[in-house]
Amino acid sequence: MSQQGYVAAPPYSQAQPGMGGYQGGFGAGPAQPLYGHYGGQPQAFAAPPTGVMKPPVSTAAGMPPPPASSQYNQNIQQNGAHPQRYPAPPASSAYGQPLQSPYNSVASQAPPPAQQLTNQMSAMNLGNYAPGPMLNPPPPTQQPFQTAPPPAMGQPPMPPGPQSPLMSPQMSPPQSPPASMAMGGPAMAGPAMAGPPMAGPPMAGPPMAGPPMAGPPMAGPPMAGMGRPFPGPPPTGPGGFQQAGPGAASPLGYQQQAGPFGGPMSGPQPGMPGGFPGAPGGLAGPPQKKLDADSIPSTTQVIEEDQGKQGGQVYSTNIRGQVPPLVTTDFSVQDQGNASPRFMRCTTYTLPCTADLAKQCQVPLAAIVKPFASLPKNETPLYIVNHGDTGPIRCNRCKAYMCPYMQFIDGGRRYQCGFCTCVNEVPVQYFQHLDHMGRRVDFYERPELSLGSYEFAATLEYCKNNKAPNPPAYIFMIDVSYNNIKSGLVKLICEELKTLLENLPREDGMESSAIKVGFVTYNKVLHFYNVKSALAQPQMMVVSDTAEMFVPLLDGFLVNYQDSRAVIFNLLDQIPDMFADTSESETVFAPVIQAGVEAFKAAECSGKLFIFQSSMPTAEAPGKLKNRDDKKLVNTEKEKTLFQPQKGVYEQLSKDCVAQGCCVDLFIFPSQYVDLATMGDVPSHTGGSVYKYNNFQVETDGEHFLRDLRKDVQKNIGFDAVMRVRTSTGFRATDFFGAIHMNNTTDVEMAAVDCDKAVTVELKHDDTLSEETGAHMQCALLYTTISGQRRLRIHNLSLNCSSQLMELFKSCETDSLINFFSKSAYRAILNQPLKNVREILVNQTAHMLACYRKNCASPSAASQLILPSAMKVLPVYMNSLMKSGPLVGSTELSTDERAHQRLSVMAMGVEDTQLLLYPRLVPLHNMDTGSEALPAPVRCSEEGLTDSGMYLLENGHSMFLWLGQASPPDLVQNIFNVPSLGHLQGNMCSLPELDNPLSKKVRSIINELLEKRPNSMKLQIVRQRDKPEMLFRQFLVEDKSLHGGASYMDFLTYVHREIRQLLT
């Protein structure tokens, strides 16, 4: 991973109210930006520079600002109501001081020195810069690096030497070139970081030229579509960028920005707060150039570079705290003592040694655990260790399981726990001698001593009531009300189940699945079916008392599919006909789940309910719902109620499900509002999923739904699971996000956990960590397999610790950070206004980057935006998160759609949130049809599209094939078998099978993606400038959003401004 600080000289100094459609619209926001981690205490940076008015730190009633408990984390104790305030930094220790040189460690490269702006400008051929007051070159002698960094692992140390701007960062020796050296050739050449060291022209005008601002600093993160423009200084000249005060030569003007409604932006109005008195009216300086989006860090480039560097290679997990390849990189893993990154990833692989450092840098410390992640075919499945009746070896004090971090001593008779340091006796039957290195002689024969991940066979004491569990069961519960019959859905499900039940998941080596199956149909009443193998015809039993739910038959309801196959086929043929003439349109929902729980109780097993529901449950029964959708609540304090499930019946139902190991998967086919926030509540607490198909039609959505159903039934899965995360002394797991239930603060309970579900675990210090010993984590999952065995799955991970912030920033992982931020923000919107949540996200982004700038980057002009290499694309993801459905206050988005995305993200792993927030946009029109490789994705922006091109966009949930209006006829003919775009059918959802290389290649790319992603995606074909194209454009996350939300460029501008405000 290239570790330079990324330097982008922003073409911006102040975000302007009309610029790029940022509208403030957040009201005054919390009167004071609340920095600080969600749940940590807010810290306010006091003492703004003279002349900048800060809004008073008080709430409406003149009280001190709310304590942090009003922030994200509701269950953390507050020490006092007043947020801490940082004292103003003394003038001498201002940020302008040269900082200690950043230093380098394992496998990292030196940050390129912040070179003179003139050098970079000449390199980018932007030319004609007047030497404005801002260009203070660093003195030629200054060298941020006095010494060469330690050699990267397994590589010889590099000799120091002069740095050529064209060397790739992997090679650059840590010498800062003399400031006079002009960079030859375009700095774009060479696989440097995402963009040249200094991307984009420098700001027009010195950092804060002109009189200080009179208006208050901007009160909220940029989101368009919110109403009035930002508080803060309006644009100061026709160019829309702040200009130098009179007398300063103004370097490079910009094209006039369009105002919010298409006209040019107005200059400052006299008398408006924040207008600069005496700012020059016109733009001085050389001819104007348009801003270049290619100069800001690019996600696709970061992904491509990592793939180029680590793609196809073997990643060995034998080194503590090493940063794995990105989730988007194609690599294989060799487990050598730490869990594979497929199972565990962290927001940073170097923890700060103290809580104070953690607070200072604001980088959240978290691990994302995906205990059942699927492994590719070329990686070894987990070994199962069986210690017989004695069960797994565990530390007597902290109960951690035997793992590579246990240190054997005393000739092998005792071992010291790597988590709590307690010294334990080795049980006689487990004794083994040590070799000359102090390692057990059987080290390599025992997975629990040499591997990061493995399983233990659990003994009866790990089972409910000390008896071995029964194999789990799957119950298919089909809503046979009018809508589902009329749409053809019931017939479709019954036909599919005939083949699908052949593919129930089974243990390796077993001929058939041990999972039992059962069938229920329902509308206002429930129909249970007896499908015992001895019967010639299935028998139906009806329960109409939905208030007191019970299962009317024990024997013959849950059966082995192979034994009862003939009866089941019979039933599946009869169901569509039985209800063909129904006029019943009302349904129940809670009693259906209750029936499933009761069935599992009676059979003493765990399992999963597959519920196919058409509408909101409005029939008189427990859990009846009413329409509470209210668009008037959007952008108000009460908007959060739209995401909150209705309390009562469903809350109790979740607890009952988890206690019984009953997972609920909901397939819903709505034609209007169904209160998904409530209906999805049980699935989202039981390790289940919610699949939603609006206005379902068999012709266009049937295949899409069946793909989801097949994936869902065949998934690798464990039932009745409890997970606990143990850590070494000094830090602990404090909070958990996922499709989980928490009865207490330590046990994560999941009725089921499958290969796509991840739990994000937040970590906090409770003492100082040691650099020597590092930090250890062990995630232990107790569960029942699909064949009914009780097992323990163990994942271990060791991290580095450091008292140097540079180390922490170097080993951060943006994709994991954004997973954490998404989940914590999506949880926070349940109990605070969206505006506050967005503000916290922006503040924390600015805070992390300001901390890096202050403590780790070499000194440079304040106008430069300097980003840590590992986080250089964090802003694009953060901006995308803030524009996502749940966080954007727009009345155009359906409430159910927003609730659905919120619930889906809570259970996602790192690769899923990465793709959701930065979709892949792949050009298909000019690819080599003979090559195996997928074409390289382009930036997710309109600028990446050409009128004659064809692009595939996918984010794991939606898939579009976009066709430019000038697409060549032969391209259209080869893909669609029609002469031109005008002949395309409007509702195509799959491509015709044509016998030509392009058609085959495009279809194979689409099928491969559908295979690879956890969810099915419905292919939507859109033509440029057609109405459906609006939907497609929402996914171009670098552009301004239709529903309100800044472009990436504008967001970067805004964050940079916030950073500078923190630094002054």
Side-chain angles (χ1 to χ4, degrees):
M1 175 173 285
S2 98
Q3 298 296 1
Q4 286 88 327
Y6 178 85
V7 185
Y12 29 79
S13 67
Q14 294 281 349
Q16 305 300 347
M19 177 174 117
Y22 272 2
Q23 301 180 6
F26 294 181
Q32 151 100 27
L34 291 166
Y35 301 113
H37 194 23
Y38 315 142
Q41 291 200 348
Q43 299 122 17
F45 274 72
T50 17
V52 178
M53 280 169 47
K54 273 275 205 197
V57 184
S58 68
T59 46
M63 300 288 288
S69 52
S70 70
Q71 299 271 84
Y72 279 46
N73 202 340
Q74 295 303 320
N75 52 11
I76 288 193
Q77 281 287 286
Q78 262 328 102
N79 296 334
H82 295 267
Q84 282 162 263
R85 298 177 53 105
Y86 283 2
S92 60
S93 72
Y95 279 76
Q97 290 289 318
L99 305 156
Q100 330 93 310
S101 54
Y103 51 82
N104 250 18
S105 93
V106 196
S108 72
Q109 285 75 28
Q115 273 135 342
Q116 281 176 290
L117 295 178
T118 42
N119 292 350
Q120 277 125 343
M121 286 312 128
S122 63
M124 290 176 67
N125 301 324
L126 290 170
N128 293 337
Y129 276 77
M134 167 179 141
L135 307 176
N136 297 331
T141 52
Q142 180 194 340
Q143 294 198 347
F145 284 90
Q146 264 52 35
T147 57
M153 270 175 207
Q155 292 174 359
M158 281 285 187
Q163 176 176 353
S164 134
L166 299 182
M167 277 168 98
S168 76
Q170 288 94 293
M171 313 278 296
S172 49
Q175 288 278 330
S176 135
S180 55
M181 173 183 128
M183 287 168 75
M188 309 278 187
M193 313 138 319
M198 160 129 183
M203 290 165 20
M208 275 293 210
M213 304 187 317
M218 203 148 120
M223 297 285 293
M226 301 287 178
R228 62 193 188 65
F230 271 152
T236 51
F241 284 84
Q242 193 178 329
Q243 288 136 36
S250 174
L252 187 63
Y254 290 98
Q255 288 203 340
Q256 201 153 319
Q257 296 276 336
F261 303 105
M265 279 185 349
S266 58
Q269 315 290 307
M272 264 182 73
F276 288 114
L283 259 180
Q288 305 176 356
K289 296 206 176 175
K290 191 160 187 283
L291 266 181
D292 176 21
D294 290 338
S295 57
I296 52 180
S298 147
T299 306
T300 46
Q301 192 171 342
V302 168
I303 290 171
E304 217 172 305
E305 280 171 11
D306 197 70
Q307 175 65 35
K309 209 156 69 180
Q310 316 198 57
Q313 300 195 1
V314 175
Y315 171 79
S316 296
T317 67
N318 55 346
I319 296 163
R320 183 178 85 195
Q322 69 176 328
V323 182
L326 298 181
V327 281
T328 42
T329 298
D330 193 17
F331 62 101
S332 34
V333 179
Q334 190 171 22
D335 185 339
Q336 296 191 345
N338 284 297
S340 157
R342 302 191 203 289
F343 296 122
M344 287 177 92
R345 282 185 176 264
C346 291
T347 52
T348 174
Y349 292 82
T350 302
L351 300 181
C353 282
T354 63
D356 286 347
L357 268 179
K359 198 175 193 173
Q360 186 186 342
C361 72
Q362 294 283 313
V363 175
L365 309 177
I368 296 94
V369 185
K370 204 172 182 183
F372 262 79
S374 311
L375 296 177
K377 299 218 176 1
N378 60 353
E379 291 179 21
T380 324
L382 300 193
Y383 288 99
I384 300 165
V385 179
N386 194 336
H387 286 314
D389 296 342
T390 55
I393 315 287
R394 304 177 68 174
C395 168
N396 292 329
R397 186 197 295 163
C398 71
K399 298 286 181 256
Y401 294 86
M402 180 53 69
C403 71
Y405 315 140
M406 305 295 189
Q407 194 61 46
F408 287 87
I409 51 176
D410 200 6
R413 283 186 290 280
R414 298 193 298 164
Y415 68 92
Q416 183 171 25
C417 172
F419 297 92
C420 68
T421 68
C422 170
V423 173
N424 298 272
E425 297 291 325
V426 172
V428 180
Q429 75 282 2
Y430 196 67
F431 173 78
Q432 186 52 272
H433 295 285
L434 306 185
D435 64 13
H436 64 287
M437 311 235 311
R439 266 208 315 219
R440 283 175 57 122
V441 180
D442 60 359
F443 177 80
Y444 287 112
E445 283 134 54
R446 291 199 176 269
E448 73 274 25
L449 300 181
S450 53
L451 298 178
S453 301
Y454 42 87
E455 295 200 312
F456 287 117
T459 52
L460 287 180
E461 63 189 284
Y462 291 93
C463 302
K464 268 191 190 149
N465 311 327
N466 290 343
K467 63 186 250 208
N470 289 314
Y474 282 1
I475 305 179
F476 297 90
M477 308 178 113
I478 306 170
D479 164 356
V480 289
S481 64
Y482 177 74
N483 282 350
N484 277 359
I485 294 289
K486 188 186 69 173
S487 70
L489 177 69
V490 174
K491 192 168 173 52
L492 185 72
I493 293 170
C494 292
E495 282 304 311
E496 178 64 28
L497 285 178
K498 291 179 187 173
T499 49
L500 191 52
L501 294 175
E502 297 282 352
N503 300 326
L504 289 171
R506 56 174 186 254
E507 292 281 341
D508 290 339
M510 281 178 68
E511 285 176 24
S512 64
S513 173
I515 294 173
K516 292 202 152 70
V517 293
F519 302 89
V520 171
T521 55
Y522 66 96
N523 39 45
K524 266 198 326 204
V525 298
L526 277 78
H527 323 108
F528 294 82
Y529 296 93
N530 183 346
V531 283
K532 206 157 70 178
S533 55
L535 296 172
Q537 284 290 335
Q539 295 170 347
M540 167 165 147
M541 300 174 110
V542 179
V543 177
S544 52
D545 180 4
T546 49
E548 293 293 318
M549 203 56 234
F550 69 99
V551 177
L553 72 161
L554 288 181
D555 191 25
F557 176 58
L558 294 176
V559 297
N560 180 308
Y561 167 71
Q562 295 299 342
D563 299 347
S564 298
R565 197 165 154 197
V567 194
I568 291 172
F569 264 52
N570 225 325
L571 171 68
L572 294 172
D573 283 336
Q574 290 174 31
I575 288 175
D577 301 338
M578 244 186 303
F579 299 100
D581 302 327
T582 186
S583 58
E584 184 55 73
S585 60
E586 287 197 313
T587 58
V588 296
F589 183 57
V592 180
I593 300 175
Q594 191 66 53
V597 176
E598 297 301 329
F600 291 152
K601 264 188 197 151
E604 296 187 350
C605 68
S606 52
K608 186 187 257 206
L609 309 180
F610 296 81
I611 302 182
F612 305 92
Q613 172 99 11
S614 63
S615 56
M616 191 153 72
T618 51
E620 279 309 324
K624 172 184 175 180
L625 297 176
K626 55 183 193 299
N627 188 340
R628 60 188 184 115
D629 189 17
D630 185 358
K631 289 287 201 280
K632 289 199 281 297
L633 298 181
V634 174
N635 284 324
T636 68
E637 288 285 317
K638 289 192 178 157
E639 182 169 9
K640 57 189 176 210
T641 58
L642 296 175
F643 296 111
Q644 293 165 353
Q646 312 242 17
K647 292 276 184 272
V649 177
Y650 292 101
E651 206 172 8
Q652 186 52 48
L653 214 42
S654 290
K655 289 178 183 156
D656 297 348
C657 283
V658 171
Q660 187 53 46
C662 166
C663 165
V664 178
D665 274 348
L666 172 62
F667 293 80
I668 189 148
F669 304 86
S671 52
Q672 57 203 46
Y673 174 77
V674 291
D675 192 358
L676 205 64
T678 303
M679 293 186 76
D681 193 44
V682 176
S684 68
H685 283 97
T686 56
S689 309
V690 178
Y691 300 90
K692 180 161 161 285
Y693 310 90
N694 296 343
N695 304 315
F696 178 82
Q697 291 177 315
V698 170
E699 303 72 51
T700 52
D701 306 288
E703 201 41 51
H704 167 45
F705 152 64
L706 292 178
R707 271 195 304 260
D708 272 334
L709 180 58
R710 287 172 201 139
K711 279 176 190 271
D712 198 36
V713 169
Q714 296 169 22
K715 265 177 190 175
N716 183 13
I717 189 169
F719 290 94
D720 203 8
V722 184
M723 183 174 98
R724 191 173 262 198
V725 177
R726 293 181 172 85
T727 52
S728 50
T729 47
F731 75 120
R732 65 199 163 87
T734 56
D735 207 354
F736 301 88
F737 305 86
I740 55 174
H741 176 74
M742 302 286 297
N743 244 343
N744 53 36
T745 54
T746 53
D747 294 340
V748 178
E749 297 183 53
M750 293 172 277
V753 53
D754 65 45
C755 54
D756 299 318
K757 299 287 182 294
V759 179
T760 299
V761 183
E762 187 174 3
L763 309 166
K764 289 255 165 77
H765 286 77
D766 48 18
D767 204 348
T768 306
L769 297 169
S770 132
E771 300 205 13
E772 279 158 51
T773 53
H776 300 268
M777 285 168 69
Q778 183 178 78
C779 159
L781 179 85
L782 174 65
Y783 72 99
T784 302
T785 66
I786 45 181
S787 59
Q789 297 172 353
R790 207 69 180 141
R791 293 231 188 111
L792 282 150
R793 180 171 280 223
I794 312 292
H795 296 299
N796 302 290
L797 188 62
S798 60
L799 304 173
N800 286 333
C801 301
S802 174
S803 51
Q804 304 292 339
L805 286 173
M806 184 67 178
E807 291 299 315
L808 172 129
F809 280 107
K810 269 198 317 211
S811 60
C812 274
E813 185 174 84
T814 293
D815 298 332
S816 296
L817 279 167
I818 205 68
N819 176 282
F820 174 82
F821 281 126
S822 307
K823 291 187 183 186
S824 39
Y826 282 5
R827 180 193 288 173
I829 61 178
L830 290 177
N831 34 42
Q832 49 179 318
L834 266 68
K835 188 183 85 185
N836 295 13
V837 176
R838 288 193 299 255
E839 247 151 49
I840 292 165
L841 288 172
V842 173
N843 287 338
Q844 196 157 354
T845 308
H847 223 107
M848 293 190 291
L849 298 176
C851 175
Y852 174 80
R853 174 75 189 249
K854 178 184 179 183
N855 299 293
C856 311
S858 28
S860 58
S863 57
Q864 283 187 331
L865 174 59
I866 296 189
L867 305 169
S869 179
M871 279 191 197
K872 62 187 170 194
V873 291
L874 182 69
V876 83
Y877 285 111
M878 273 299 205
N879 188 37
S880 179
L881 171 60
M882 285 170 44
K883 295 193 284 191
S884 65
L887 287 180
V888 79
S890 165
T891 48
E892 290 168 41
L893 293 171
S894 90
T895 303
D896 279 341
E897 209 50 59
R898 298 172 73 194
H900 184 225
Q901 186 174 341
R902 193 190 84 75
L903 293 173
S904 308
V905 167
M906 290 311 279
M908 278 185 186
V910 179
E911 51 279 49
D912 302 336
T913 46
Q914 185 278 330
L915 185 65
L916 184 72
L917 293 172
Y918 199 89
R920 289 180 47 171
L921 181 61
V922 183
L924 299 180
H925 48 279
N926 49 10
M927 61 178 172
D928 172 8
T929 49
S931 134
E932 284 292 293
L934 197 68
V938 294
R939 291 180 82 143
C940 215
S941 159
E942 199 185 343
E943 300 199 351
L945 304 172
T946 58
D947 285 359
S948 59
M950 173 171 72
Y951 296 82
L952 186 71
L953 181 143
E954 57 105 15
N955 70 349
H957 289 259
S958 304
M959 181 187 265
F960 294 91
L961 187 62
W962 182 91
L963 296 149
Q965 54 183 10
S967 301
D970 58 332
L971 179 84
V972 178
Q973 183 72 49
N974 281 336
I975 297 290
F976 301 102
N977 204 19
V978 294
S980 75
L981 284 183
H983 293 76
L984 271 188
Q985 295 299 315
N987 55 358
M988 278 179 77
C989 53
S990 64
L991 299 178
E993 296 194 14
L994 303 176
D995 189 13
N996 66 65
L998 184 64
S999 173
K1000 286 177 180 164
K1001 177 76 176 168
V1002 170
R1003 281 181 292 118
S1004 91
I1005 287 175
I1006 290 173
N1007 291 336
E1008 212 170 292
L1009 288 172
L1010 291 174
E1011 194 57 41
K1012 194 163 134 188
R1013 305 289 179 233
N1015 288 46
S1016 162
M1017 296 175 278
K1018 178 181 167 183
L1019 178 66
Q1020 299 173 66
I1021 293 165
V1022 294
R1023 292 176 290 200
Q1024 187 177 8
R1025 298 200 177 44
D1026 260 13
K1027 203 171 173 201
E1029 200 201 13
M1030 296 295 277
L1031 188 60
F1032 165 81
R1033 286 185 182 273
Q1034 292 176 29
F1035 295 90
L1036 300 176
V1037 296
E1038 291 199 17
D1039 299 341
K1040 238 166 70 176
S1041 152
L1042 297 173
H1043 302 303
S1047 69
Y1048 172 31
M1049 179 73 99
D1050 292 350
F1051 180 72
L1052 207 52
T1053 308
Y1054 176 65
V1055 167
H1056 183 228
R1057 202 183 97 169
E1058 290 288 288
I1059 293 171
R1060 289 174 58 192
Q1061 216 155 356
L1062 288 175
L1063 295 184
T1064 42

